Amino acid sequence: MSTRVSRRRALQAAATLPALAGCTATAPPAPVRDFLKELGVRPVINASGAYTMFTASLMRPEAVAAIQAMSTRFVRLDELHDAIGQRIASLLGAPAAMVPSGAAAGLLCGTAGVLTGKDPEKILRLPDLTGMKTEVVVQKSHRFPYDHLVRATGVKLVEVETREEVEKAIGPKTAMLLFLNKSDPLGQVRMEEFVQIGRKHGLPTFNDAAADVPPIENLLKPIRMGFDLVCVSGGKGIRGPQSAGILVGRPDLIAAARLNTSPHSDTIGRSCKVNKEEMVAMLVALESFLREDHHALYRKWEQWVETIQTPVAKVRGVKTALYVPEIANAVPHLRVSWDTSIQLTPAEAQQKLRDGEPSIELVPRPQFEGLEIASWMLQEGEAEIVGRRVAEVLGV
Ligand SMILES: *Cc1c(COP(=O)(O)O)cnc(C)c1O
C-alpha cells in the first residue's frame, strides 16, 4: 500500500470515528468507555483487602484529580521531588522523605543508598559490592518475601534470633539492620531495643511498615522511635497510587536513596520510576489520609463485617468470628469455618465465589482453615452481596 493511499484511508477512517464526528457544539458528551467490558475482563468485588493482585485499594478522587492536573505540566523532576519530600517529611514528623514506586522500591533504593552513600562510583557499581559492606542483619522471624528487594542490591542477609546473636553478627561487613514492623511481636529483639543496638554500633536501622496503616500510629511509632529508614506503601491503606510509596528517614540516606533511582539512568533502582503525577498524588493522598476520621471508617467496616456475618452465621454447621490482625491490615475481618457436614474445602469455596456472579475475592491465603473476609475495600452495597454469596456457597 502506498503512503498516499494509506493516508487517504486513514483520513476516511478517522471521519467515521464517533469521537471526531461528535466534535460539534451540540453533540452530547461521549459515553464513558467501559474498559473492562471492552477487554473482556471481569470486575471483582474486593473482599480481600489491600492485595496487589486484586489491585489493592481504590485511589482517592483527590489523588486522581491531582494526576489529571499534573498531566498537563512540565517540571524539573528533581525539584518537584525535593518539594514533595519536604512536605511529606513535615506531615509525618520525619527528618526527610521521598516517594519511591512502592514500599518494595523503598526497600531497594533505601538499601542501595545505605551501601553507596553519595559516592557516584559505588552507585554505578551495584550490585557488585566491591568496596562496600556486604551484610544486613535480620531476625529470623522478620524474614519476609519482600526482603528480596534488600538482597537485590547484592547483600547477604544474616539471620539471628536473640539480642546476643545480633551483637555477635555485627562486624566490619555489616551495612544495616533490617526490621519488619508487623513481626515486632514475633521477634526476641523488640523495636526499641533494635533501634538502640543500631545506634550503639553506628548502623542504620530500616523498618518496613508497608501494610501497617491505618492506624497512622503504626507508621509514626517507628519514625519517632528513631529508625533511620521507614517505608510504607502508597497504594494500600493510604489509597494513593498503587505504584507509589513513602520512604522517610535520615536526610543523608534519603538523598543517597534518590541518587540510586530515576531520573538517574545508570542505577540499580532506575526501573522504580515515579512520574510527576504519582508523586503529587501520593502527597495529596497522604494529606487526605491524615485528615480522615479513622474511627468512623472503622465503625463502618465493622458494620459491613456484621452485614456479611448475619446470613453466613445462619448456615447450619458454620461458625463465624470477628478477627482483627494485630499490626498489618489491622482492620475488621470475618473468619468463617465449618464442620464436616459441609463437604467443601476452603479453596473450593473461594473458587466458587471467584467463578460466581459477581466475582468475589477473599483473603487469598488465610492464616487458618476457613474463609477470611476483609470489609475495608468493599463499596456501598457490596457487603450484602458478599454475605448472600458466601451463605449460598456454604449452604449447598
Ligand atoms: C505490600 C508490601 C510490600 C510491597 O509494597 P508495594 O507498595 O506494593 O511495593 C512490602 N513489604 C510488605 C511488608 C508489604 O506488605
Side-chain angles (χ1 to χ4, degrees), residues 56-272:
S57 65
L58 292 184
M59 235 189 289
R60 295 168 190 277
E62 326 67 284
V64 177
I67 286 175
Q68 181 87 37
M70 282 305 296
S71 70
T72 58
R73 312 297 297 276
F74 285 106
V75 66
R76 288 177 195 87
L77 194 58
D78 269 330
E79 212 176 291
L80 179 70
H81 209 169
D82 285 345
I84 284 183
Q86 277 167 20
R87 289 284 286 276
I88 290 178
S90 74
L91 284 170
L92 295 174
M98 68 176 280
V99 177
S101 61
L107 289 169
L108 173 65
C109 302
T111 307
V114 165
L115 295 166
T116 63
K118 293 183 191 169
D119 184 333
E121 280 168 27
K122 288 179 178 168
I123 291 169
L124 291 181
R125 202 175 302 145
L126 283 184
D128 172 353
L129 292 172
T130 306
M132 287 172 255
K133 297 184 174 173
T134 55
E135 290 178 358
V136 167
V137 176
V138 61
Q139 296 181 79
K140 210 174 202 164
S141 52
H142 286 234
R143 289 294 311 270
F144 63 120
Y146 299 95
D147 66 35
H148 202 131
L149 283 302
V150 173
R151 291 188 286 114
T153 61
V155 297
K156 216 180 88 204
L157 294 185
V158 180
E159 288 183 8
V160 292
E161 285 183 89
T162 62
R163 175 179 180 131
E164 223 178 8
E165 285 172 11
V166 179
E167 299 267 7
K168 244 175 63 191
I170 291 174
K173 292 185 192 162
T174 312
M176 181 177 95
L177 309 180
L178 177 65
F179 197 89
L180 178 60
N181 200 53
K182 72 168 177 187
S183 291
D184 188 30
L186 305 177
Q188 293 188 37
V189 185
R190 301 299 295 267
M191 200 180 283
E192 194 153 15
E193 195 179 6
F194 196 82
V195 172
Q196 282 165 5
I197 299 174
R199 286 235 180 88
K200 183 178 147 198
H201 293 272
L203 287 172
T205 45
F206 195 157
N207 189 337
D208 178 350
D212 303 356
V213 297
I216 185 66
E217 288 73 30
N218 280 347
L219 176 60
L220 299 181
K221 189 176 161 190
I223 294 174
R224 285 198 200 109
M225 214 165 258
F227 275 91
D228 298 290
L229 289 169
V230 181
C231 65
V232 65
S233 290
K236 290 178 181 168
I238 299 175
R239 292 179 55 205
Q242 258 294 281
S243 43
I246 296 173
L247 178 67
V248 302
R250 245 168 60 191
D252 61 318
L253 294 180
I254 295 294
R258 275 185 53 189
L259 291 175
N260 277 282
T261 184
S262 166
H264 307 284
S265 308
D266 197 346
T267 59
I268 198 164
R270 175 57 179 81
S271 58
C272 309

Side-chain angles (χ1 to χ4, degrees), residues 263-319:
H264 307 284
S265 308
D266 197 346
T267 59
I268 198 164
R270 175 57 179 81
S271 58
C272 309
K273 187 199 274 180
V274 184
N275 62 29
K276 60 180 182 265
E277 292 88 350
E278 291 165 322
M279 269 184 207
V280 175
M282 184 67 256
L283 169 64
V284 169
L286 179 66
E287 288 171 350
S288 297
F289 175 67
L290 293 172
R291 273 198 303 266
E292 195 160 71
D293 182 349
H294 177 57
H295 295 289
L297 270 175
Y298 195 95
R299 275 197 300 279
K300 185 168 86 171
W301 297 332
E302 265 179 341
Q303 280 161 8
W304 282 345
V305 163
E306 283 162 24
T307 302
I308 299 166
Q309 187 172 26
T310 305
V312 176
K314 284 184 190 143
V315 178
R316 205 173 335 127
V318 166
K319 269 198 293 208

